[in-house]
Amino acid sequence: MAAKAEKKDGIFETVKTVVYAVAIAAVFRTLLFQPFWIPSGSMKETLLIGDFLFVNKMAYGYSRYSCPMGLCPFEGRLLASEPERGDVVVFRHPVNGSDFIKRLIGLPGDTVQMVDGKVVLNGQELPQTPAGDFIETYEPQGPMSNEPRCANAPVGQGGTCIKPRMMETLPGGHSYPVLNIDNGGFADNTPVFTVPPGHYFFLGDNRDNSQDSRYGRAVGGVGFVPAENLIGRADRIMFSSAGKSLFFFWTWRADRFFKAVQ
């Protein structure tokens, strides 16, 4: 009888430990930091496919999207704090419910337009200065096997893929690299967007490979993003792998471990 009682006590303690661990992890993920893996090349070269980062959920306060599957039982934002122009932000897509990561360009009341591939913010073109080329290997990237677009296309498998790189500077001096292959089509020459109250305008740094606020939701873009859809700010890359699996250690990018997101 004593052995059975001890066995029951052992099972109970194990279950209790698992429940505590799950509860602590849920609180950590909901209130503090959420892990996020980069599945696409829309933020190259700031973020590469296979980067793994933690999103700071304290940065902007909390909304219903702070909980998994949007289950937090309140509307609006608690402990709200305004994001800054230039932040790299994870947000919930207003229609399809996916988590997206882009750079915040337009605040409420701003006007934003693309003219010949350059951002015109509140009537002023954002300065861009040449910063050499972004070079990568033309090959399937990550678990989704995405192949990059190249300015020097066509490029065979294993060849050198080149994209022109510019440093773009926001009012206030925040600079970051952007990639742009060409200046044709709607994405590089848009109408003027006026950001409505309580919403934000986002762009990907890889300007020719990003479904962002330039595109309406009906065609897969995000349009203007409501404030309550913001999940948090990307602050630091913790780990990075160029392979299809995290277990392919020979594809790890050690130079990106613990790298700050600018």
Side-chain angles (χ1 to χ4, degrees), residues 37 48-52 139-143 239-257:
W37 173 76
L48 303 181
I49 295 174
D51 283 348
F52 180 85
E139 61 185 357
Q141 298 178 348
F239 176 84
S240 184
S241 173
K244 289 188 175 183
S245 169
L246 298 179
F247 298 106
F248 294 175
F249 63 87
W250 57 90
T251 67
W252 291 358
R253 306 182 186 107
D255 61 323
R256 297 185 66 80
F257 290 11

Side-chain angles (χ1 to χ4, degrees), residues 56-188:
N56 182 352
K57 301 183 79 169
M58 300 175 285
Y60 311 131
Y62 305 96
S63 75
R64 64 191 179 100
Y65 296 112
S66 298
C67 293
M69 297 180 289
L71 295 178
C72 284
F74 52 81
E75 298 295 328
R77 299 197 75 85
L78 299 177
L79 305 176
S81 180
E82 289 296 316
E84 295 184 8
R85 190 184 283 114
D87 285 355
V88 177
V89 179
V90 172
F91 57 87
R92 186 65 49 86
H93 191 288
V95 174
N96 66 28
S98 301
D99 288 345
F100 274 44
I101 185 166
K102 307 289 179 186
R103 190 177 299 278
L104 175 56
I105 298 296
L107 302 175
D110 284 346
T111 61
V112 185
Q113 185 180 20
M114 299 295 296
V115 177
D116 294 332
K118 294 185 178 180
V119 179
V120 178
L121 178 65
N122 295 324
Q124 299 295 318
E125 184 178 281
L126 297 185
Q128 290 188 352
T129 55
D133 291 325
F134 175 75
I135 298 175
E136 58 186 336
T137 301
Y138 185 81
E139 61 185 357
Q141 298 178 348
M144 298 172 66
S145 297
N146 295 321
E147 293 181 336
R149 287 189 61 190
C150 312
N152 58 326
V155 177
Q157 289 290 324
T160 300
C161 179
I162 299 173
K163 294 182 181 67
R165 175 174 50 203
M166 308 289 284
M167 291 300 295
E168 185 171 88
T169 303
L170 289 166
H174 187 171
S175 295
Y176 45 88
V178 296
L179 307 179
N180 194 34
I181 294 174
D182 56 48
N183 294 322
F186 170 84
D188 290 312

Side-chain angles (χ1 to χ4, degrees), residues 167-242:
M167 291 300 295
E168 185 171 88
T169 303
L170 289 166
H174 187 171
S175 295
Y176 45 88
V178 296
L179 307 179
N180 194 34
I181 294 174
D182 56 48
N183 294 322
F186 170 84
D188 290 312
N189 292 278
T190 70
V192 176
F193 301 100
T194 300
V195 185
H199 291 72
Y200 299 95
F201 187 98
F202 289 91
L203 290 175
D205 290 349
N206 190 2
R207 295 286 162 79
D208 290 324
N209 188 30
S210 177
Q211 291 292 324
D212 47 42
S213 291
R214 292 172 291 181
Y215 300 91
R217 299 168 191 172
V219 293
V222 300
F224 301 120
V225 178
E228 74 166 356
N229 287 55
L230 305 189
I231 293 174
R233 183 182 66 221
D235 286 341
R236 189 170 296 274
I237 299 164
M238 304 304 294
F239 176 84
S240 184
S241 173

